[in-house]
Amino acid sequence: MPGLILKLTPGERFMVNGVVMENGDHRARICVVTENANVLRLRDAIHPSEVNTPVRRVCYIAQLVLAGEAEESLARQQLLTGIEQLSQVFTDADSRAKLDAATTHAMEAKYYPALKALRSLLSREARLMQAVPRPPSETRMAQ
């Protein structure tokens, strides 16, 4: 990721190659010049308790690689399998383009752009999840 610019708010935390860092008391602008550095803003990170949907699960795999908490080759395979499964549900052209981009980035070991492409599907997934009718047993329990 040569030339990645991080614009940080005071006290904002971020991770570079698995190391958590925190910005000081003032806004900062940091340029990451090392190619293939794994960078993740912690405000963008998905907490393990939030991994409760298919897209979030696949995003979380990419996030684990960025955090240095997953073995890369195994995670890449899981990521590609997850993307393939998502492609069975997200069949519109825009979603396909995002999934294709995520696949390309994962194959090139560019996990941040893969995560970014996948995260763009979260709002779409939320709308789909809301549109799914609840089974009668769940409807009765909710009342």
Side-chain angles (χ1 to χ4, degrees):
M1 285 192 241
L4 173 68
I5 305 282
L6 290 175
K7 295 178 183 176
L8 303 169
T9 59
E12 184 173 0
R13 292 182 176 194
F14 60 101
M15 186 180 296
V16 178
N17 292 339
V19 177
V20 176
M21 296 180 223
E22 184 174 305
N23 188 27
D25 295 336
H26 303 285
R27 292 169 104 27
R29 191 176 154 158
I30 297 172
C31 181
V32 179
V33 295
T34 301
E35 195 168 335
N36 298 324
N38 291 323
V39 179
L40 178 66
R41 288 176 184 267
L42 294 188
R43 71 178 180 197
D44 294 335
I46 298 172
H47 190 273
S49 65
E50 298 171 334
V51 182
N52 53 10
T53 68
V55 175
R56 286 180 178 273
R57 285 184 193 104
V58 178
C59 287
Y60 192 67
I61 295 167
Q63 180 179 303
L64 289 175
V65 175
L66 290 171
E69 296 179 16
E71 197 275 309
E72 187 176 345
S73 64
L74 177 61
R76 181 184 300 133
Q77 187 56 48
Q78 291 175 342
L79 187 58
L80 292 171
T81 299
I83 293 169
E84 176 60 31
Q85 291 169 346
L86 292 175
S87 72
Q88 302 302 312
V89 176
F90 293 97
T91 57
D92 62 283
D94 186 50
S95 296
R96 289 282 186 176
K98 292 176 188 313
L99 291 168
D100 288 346
T103 299
T104 300
H105 293 308
M107 294 294 291
E108 296 172 350
K110 295 179 179 176
Y111 297 103
Y112 182 77
L115 175 61
K116 187 175 177 182
L118 291 165
R119 285 182 65 88
S120 68
L121 296 173
L122 287 171
S123 60
R124 196 164 295 166
E125 178 188 49
R127 287 192 304 273
L128 287 173
M129 299 290 263
Q130 288 176 345
V132 174
R134 293 166 57 183
S137 61
E138 287 185 30
T139 305
R140 281 191 296 260
M141 291 188 324
Q143 293 175 351

